[in-house]
Amino acid sequence: MGDSRPIGVFDSGIGGLTVVKALRDLLPNEKIFYLGDTARVPYGGKSANTVERYSLEMTNMLVDEDVKAIVIACNSASAVALPKLEKTLSVPVIGVIKPGAQAAISATRNRHIGVIGTRATIKSGAYEKALREFDPKISISARACPLLVPFIEEGWLEDKLTDQIIARYLEPLMRDGVDTLVLGCTHYPLLVRVISRFVGAKVELVDSAKNCAIAVQQLLDRQLLRATTENSGSLEVALTDAPDNFLRVARDALQLEIGEVQLREVIHGAGNVA
Ligand code: DGL
């Protein structure tokens, strides 16, 4: 029979389209309903309480869309809000942290992993916790890289200034001797080429978007929620405020077809009703 309801994907803004791209590639028969909170982006510099409240509001809006599962594409939201969301939502929910941590544990040879992300993600310690659940003795070097998001949104994906910022943020991690680096932010897969040029071939990059898509596939299979192969997949994008230049940057970089973007008002307080 299959379940033809959409998968709901939530992000703080437009960066989560990296996860949508990975989902579309891996699960072409699935419908995706994407909700980006562009009215309140960025989440990465906000407090855990605020990010949790926003995440509850947004995911409840997705439940109202009759989605069969929810993917928290935003690393900052996954890092601080996932435990609460798992408890309160009536549909299965999956974040990006655990799949990324698991992939990093499989990739590392010297058992020293680097993690980069927003301030909210790094401050939460969520990647450390997830990595240590897989391997309590793993060494971790984590670093917040708050300047990367605005540079990526500006479309400066191949730019000398971006190279300099990457060098400044990543040099200490390279000195620490990491052999695996988790790209713990929706936006960073757009810099994969530049980052791998800087860290070199000996450092494995772990793209949390791709690993999240694999985890979603496993979840749908486990819970018998996959759409059948007769279903044609689609993508609907809704935002809480008009998109800016970054939508074009992301669409072009990811080569993603996005139809007309819908606008949705944030339903405030939805986080309290679960
Ligand atoms: N989506 C956020 C993340 O993955 C990055 C943008 C923001 O700070 O909201 O952490």
Side-chain angles (χ1 to χ4, degrees):
M1 266 290 284
D3 190 328
S4 61
R5 288 175 300 160
I7 300 169
V9 179
F10 150 58
D11 181 46
S12 58
I14 288 163
L17 289 175
T18 53
V19 176
V20 168
K21 171 69 178 167
L23 286 169
R24 296 283 288 142
D25 287 349
L26 193 65
L27 300 164
N29 302 110
E30 297 292 341
K31 283 188 203 146
I32 295 174
F33 185 88
Y34 180 91
L35 184 59
D37 196 3
T38 42
R40 303 185 290 194
V41 73
Y43 283 13
K46 296 199 167 74
S47 72
N49 274 347
T50 300
V51 173
E52 189 175 272
R53 180 162 53 85
Y54 289 177
S55 302
L56 283 164
E57 287 173 350
M58 299 297 285
T59 48
N60 276 300
M61 286 165 67
L62 282 176
V63 171
D64 288 346
E65 298 289 333
D66 194 28
V67 297
K68 61 183 172 185
I70 292 181
V71 180
I72 314 294
C74 178
N75 280 256
S76 306
S78 293
V80 304
L82 192 63
K84 185 76 166 277
L85 297 172
E86 281 172 336
K87 270 195 218 120
T88 53
L89 292 173
S90 52
V91 292
V93 55
I94 196 161
V96 280
I97 308 281
K98 200 168 160 193
Q102 192 166 14
I105 292 286
S106 314
T108 186
R109 296 161 309 273
N110 72 359
R111 297 169 77 219
H112 194 158
I113 293 173
V115 180
I116 54 173
T118 64
R119 282 207 172 98
T121 298
I122 300 304
K123 196 168 162 216
S124 74
Y127 271 109
E128 276 100 324
K129 190 163 170 265
L131 287 164
R132 294 221 158 89
E133 264 163 31
F134 289 114
D135 179 351
K137 296 218 174 99
I138 200 89
S139 299
I140 304 163
S141 298
R143 175 115 211 228
C145 306
L147 287 179
L148 288 183
V149 163
F151 272 73
I152 295 164
E153 297 201 346
E154 195 61 32
W156 294 357
L157 306 181
E158 291 280 351
D159 190 282
K160 275 202 190 103
L161 274 179
T162 313
D163 288 345
Q164 282 172 14
I165 291 171
I166 287 172
R168 178 104 178 233
Y169 280 140
L170 296 189
E171 250 156 24
L173 273 67
M174 294 304 106
R175 266 202 308 275
D176 285 355
V178 306
D179 76 345
T180 301
L181 180 65
V182 180
L183 306 181
C185 173
T186 44
H187 292 48
Y188 301 168
L190 297 177
L191 284 184
V192 80
R193 231 173 340 151
V194 193
I195 293 177
S196 51
R197 208 161 53 217
F198 177 76
V199 299
K202 289 201 185 112
V203 175
E204 183 94 17
L205 298 184
V206 173
D207 173 339
S208 59
K210 271 198 195 133
N211 289 294
C212 175
I214 296 168
V216 173
Q217 182 184 41
Q218 291 164 349
L219 172 96
L220 296 183
D221 282 342
R222 231 177 16 247
Q223 306 218 5
L224 306 176
L225 291 171
R226 278 283 279 275
T228 61
T229 46
E230 283 96 68
N231 270 69
S232 52
S234 60
L235 170 61
E236 261 186 86
V237 175
L239 302 174
T240 55
D241 198 0
D244 61 13
N245 170 58
F246 184 43
L247 183 63
R248 188 189 48 76
V249 171
R251 195 189 48 209
D252 293 354
L254 296 168
Q255 298 190 340
L256 200 58
E257 266 192 49
I258 298 168
E260 204 175 314
V261 172
Q262 306 168 31
L263 283 186
R264 297 285 155 107
E265 286 256 333
V266 175
I267 303 176
H268 293 285
N272 302 327
V273 290

